Amino acid sequence: MKKSLVSFLLAFFFAVAFANSYAAEIRNGLLFLDVEILPNASQIHMNCPGKVKISEEGSPFQIELSDASIIFEITEKIKVTPYWKVGIAKFTSESDANSFLAKFPECSLEKNAKIVWRDGCLQQKNAFSIYLNKNFYDFNSALDSKESDGWVKEFFALSNPEIFIYDENSGKEFFLTCPLQITSETNITVTNVPKTNFWNPKKFVTRTYCGNLKLKINQIGKLNLISHVDLENYIAGVVPNEIGVNVPMDALRAQAIAARSEALFKMLAGTHKNDGFDLCASVHCQVYSGLSDVSAPVIDAVKKSAYLVGIFDGRIINAVYSTNCGGKTANNNDIWGGKKSPYLSSIYDAASSKSIDLSNERNVKNWIKNSENVFCNAKMETGWKSKTYKWEKEFSRAEFENMLNRISDLGKFRKIKILKRGESGRILKMQIEGSKNTIILDNELQIRRNLGGLRSSLFIMEESGDKIIFSGKGSGHGVGMCQIGAIEMSKRGYSAEEILKHYFSGIKISKINLLEE
């Protein structure tokens, strides 16, 4: 079913105008986030067991279906053309903005809502920006046209923004123009969603979400499916993926507070503001699976920690975490560069303190070979948890050389030279020498990925006959909260607040308030 030309043009305009708008909003006393759950798709398949409404954003055009099995598909290549507009004035009052427009009709208005952090509150602030009604298809030309107090912003024009919609159950076909709002009275199941697990990055699963989704065309002409979800339900969808469900309540609560803090830190920093959503559902932000993995203990933990976050120096902390620190957490600047954060400084993972220089190779070797009486040395754990404190990975020399030669034309492997370790003992820079070439790896994540997916870069390497053996400790980057340590602390009677204050130095736990403008 084709729409009228007027409807088409209206939808086209909004597809462009909303490309870079802020997504988060405070409504009815709740904070809602836009979380990308399926990126860069040409086709999306979802099942809606109840009534579902699909409507165009900025247009009255909509369709309604019942008990539908829906396919959304790009049938023609969508060309995305960047262009720039020159901004000339900003207002906090809509009436002031409209008064300005009345005097200068050659301009246009863009409305944005932005969430800001002030005095322990998250507040929604409306902003009204005035732009010249001229599109520049060259950035420098736009830059030359702006006044000293003006600015330049990038937008995107879309060709063929219509997508094909087919209900397999009823046989009905439609063409609608993105962006689309998908609302349902029941939960929606989406197939072929990326699992976003570090160890299985190409695995896809089926997941269920609350019936409030958005469909957008992104900047490479593909479909992005986005979950519009309130903060607390988002946290409930993160916790089981990041720490599991069969863990003590205070570990779950600590994880909920950490996840909430990190989510808000990223939202306020505008991590994905130019992508048309607030957060992604992958390890880049936090793994979010909607309603699929939510259990009664998780709901209880989220409720008992509702709107609690970590605060340092008056600001919400970036409460990062990893599976197992290996006995000593890492400094944030060692792993990611930049400025060292006081609350993300390296600590010894025990009730007592211990000073040891793990940047020294001899100390590291003893550290890895022996066992420390640290929280994350969870001796009584079974399954995956038992394999995160100490681990080994073995390759034949041929396997190891083939793996390295996929990175570079190394030739025959000769030796590894450690060039730099951080305070936690994690390797930050190393050199791999071969008969043809030398490889330099200077990033913690790059090191463990290129060496066959090692659990961490806190390791030593030994050769035994035809074998290359890596012996290490810890799992993940090691910055912030150690999840296995948090589980063990919870078992020993530590509260969620005590756990978080152990891993994030000098913080306090506070409840945030929401203010609507």
Side-chain angles (χ1 to χ4, degrees):
M1 182 176 68
K2 287 283 186 177
K3 303 174 293 155
S4 69
L5 179 61
V6 173
S7 179
F8 174 86
L9 292 176
L10 185 62
F12 173 83
F13 170 78
F14 277 93
V16 173
F18 280 83
N20 289 331
S21 63
Y22 288 93
E25 61 173 340
I26 297 173
R27 189 177 76 248
N28 299 327
L30 298 173
L31 172 63
F32 287 86
L33 304 172
D34 275 3
V35 183
E36 178 204 54
I37 56 178
L38 206 168
N40 304 328
S42 295
Q43 185 183 93
I44 295 173
H45 193 167
M46 64 178 66
N47 292 301
C48 309
K51 290 182 180 179
V52 59
K53 181 171 69 175
I54 305 171
S55 54
E56 296 179 338
E57 191 172 272
S59 163
F61 199 90
Q62 65 181 41
I63 59 174
E64 291 187 8
L65 297 168
S66 296
D67 299 322
S69 178
I70 308 172
I71 295 174
F72 298 86
E73 185 174 8
I74 295 174
T75 56
E76 297 182 39
K77 184 176 180 180
I78 297 173
K79 183 180 178 182
V80 182
T81 304
Y83 67 93
W84 291 266
K85 294 181 79 72
V86 174
I88 58 174
K90 291 185 179 181
F91 298 92
T92 57
S93 163
E94 188 169 12
S95 61
D96 290 344
N98 286 327
S99 296
F100 185 93
L101 276 181
K103 296 177 183 177
F104 301 97
E106 68 273 18
C107 297
S108 59
L109 174 67
E110 181 192 49
K111 178 181 178 180
N112 281 317
K114 184 178 181 179
I115 307 297
V116 297
W117 171 255
R118 287 180 183 166
D119 302 323
C121 297
L122 287 173
Q123 184 173 3
Q124 182 166 304
K125 301 291 289 184
N126 289 327
F128 304 90
S129 300
I130 305 294
Y131 291 90
L132 292 176
N133 276 336
K134 181 179 179 181
N135 297 341
F136 294 86
Y137 292 91
D138 175 76
F139 173 75
N140 289 327
S141 297
L143 202 61
D144 292 340
S145 299
K146 82 172 185 66
E147 301 292 335
S148 59
D149 57 346
W151 71 95
V152 173
K153 182 176 177 179
E154 186 178 30
F155 291 82
F156 297 91
L158 308 173
S159 67
N160 305 317
E162 281 196 324
I163 61 170
F164 176 64
I165 302 173
Y166 175 64
D167 176 17
E168 292 181 307
N169 291 345
S170 67
K172 293 180 179 179
E173 299 178 357
F174 306 89
F175 284 89
L176 294 183
T177 303
C178 279
L180 299 176
Q181 185 77 37
I182 304 164
T183 55
S184 172
E185 60 183 15
T186 57
N187 298 329
I188 295 174
T189 299
V190 183
T191 62
N192 293 318
V193 178
K195 186 173 175 62
T196 61
N197 181 288
F198 178 81
W199 305 108
N200 294 293
K202 296 182 180 179
K203 186 173 182 180
F204 295 86
V205 295
T206 297
R207 285 179 170 160
T208 302
Y209 302 91
C210 61
N212 196 349
L213 304 176
K214 296 180 180 181
L215 192 64
K216 295 185 177 183
I217 296 172
N218 63 27
Q219 297 168 8
I220 62 171
K222 298 293 185 181
L223 296 174
N224 277 10
L225 186 62
I226 293 165
S227 173
H228 189 64
V229 59
D230 74 89
L231 175 65
E232 297 307 293
N233 279 325
Y234 165 76
I235 298 303
V238 167
V239 169
N241 291 283
E242 295 292 359
I243 201 169
V245 293
N246 297 317
V247 299
M249 178 53 65
D250 275 286
L252 286 175
R253 289 182 64 235
Q255 179 65 69
I257 296 168
R260 187 180 296 108
S261 303
E262 187 180 356
L264 293 176
F265 179 90
K266 284 183 163 66
M267 181 207 73
L268 291 167
T271 301
H272 284 290
K273 73 174 184 179
N274 292 327
D275 300 318
F277 49 87
D278 300 299
L279 303 167
C280 64
S282 76
V283 292
H284 176 263
C285 290
Q286 296 177 99
V287 178
Y288 166 70
S289 62
L291 303 170
S292 302
D293 302 305
V294 177
S295 63
V298 168
I299 293 171
D300 192 30
V302 173
K303 283 184 177 179
K304 287 179 177 177
S305 66
Y307 285 96
L308 290 177
V309 296
I311 301 290
F312 183 86
D313 196 23
R315 298 182 180 181
I316 298 174
I317 65 171
N318 186 19
V320 291
Y321 46 86
S322 64
T323 303
N324 195 311
C325 68
K328 194 173 185 185
T329 66
N331 293 316
N332 67 295
N333 57 313
D334 282 344
I335 304 301
W336 300 308
K339 186 179 178 182
K340 184 177 180 180
S341 174
Y343 64 83
L344 294 176
S345 297
S346 178
I347 59 117
Y348 181 61
D349 189 25
S352 59
S353 60
K354 181 176 181 178
S355 178
I356 182 169
D357 180 14
L358 292 182
S359 63
N360 178 283
E361 285 300 316
R362 180 174 294 180
N363 288 345
V364 168
K365 186 171 183 179
N366 290 333
W367 179 270
I368 290 174
K369 291 293 185 182
N370 299 317
S371 289
E372 295 282 323
N373 187 25
V374 289
F375 291 129
C376 59
N377 182 8
K379 301 173 184 177
M380 302 303 293
E381 291 289 355
T382 58
W384 68 271
K385 297 184 185 75
S386 65
K387 300 173 184 177
T388 60
Y389 177 63
K390 292 185 74 172
W391 52 264
E392 279 193 358
K393 190 160 187 176
E394 185 179 289
F395 299 91
S396 69
R397 179 171 285 271
E399 288 173 332
F400 192 61
E401 287 177 348
N402 288 336
M403 180 176 67
L404 294 177
N405 276 288
R406 286 195 290 268
I407 304 170
S408 177
D409 187 18
L410 188 77
K412 295 293 183 181
F413 169 67
R414 286 180 175 170
K415 66 177 180 179
I416 282 179
K417 184 177 181 181
I418 307 304
L419 302 178
K420 183 181 180 182
R421 287 187 187 267
E423 195 170 335
S424 71
R426 282 166 170 77
I427 300 170
L428 308 179
K429 188 175 183 179
M430 66 185 297
Q431 178 177 293
I432 306 172
E433 295 181 14
S435 59
K436 294 183 180 180
N437 200 359
T438 298
I439 301 172
I440 300 291
L441 301 176
D442 59 359
N443 173 278
E444 183 269 344
L445 183 57
Q446 182 187 59
I447 289 168
R448 53 192 173 111
R449 277 184 170 165
N450 285 325
L451 294 181
L454 300 180
R455 289 192 173 273
S456 80
S457 70
L458 173 53
F459 63 79
I460 57 174
M461 192 208 79
E462 297 171 308
E463 297 183 55
S464 177
D466 185 49
K467 301 295 184 184
I468 306 289
I469 303 168
F470 290 92
S471 301
K473 277 187 175 179
S475 184
H477 52 68
V479 183
M481 187 177 77
C482 171
Q483 292 169 303
I484 298 298
I487 292 169
E488 184 61 24
M489 289 182 73
S490 184
K491 288 180 177 179
R492 298 187 191 185
Y494 288 89
S495 68
E497 184 168 339
E498 289 170 325
I499 292 168
L500 293 166
K501 288 183 175 180
H502 168 67
Y503 290 110
F504 301 106
S505 304
I507 70 162
K508 63 179 181 179
I509 307 299
S510 298
K511 188 167 187 174
I512 58 174
N513 295 310
L514 303 177
L515 295 177
E516 297 181 55
E517 189 168 74

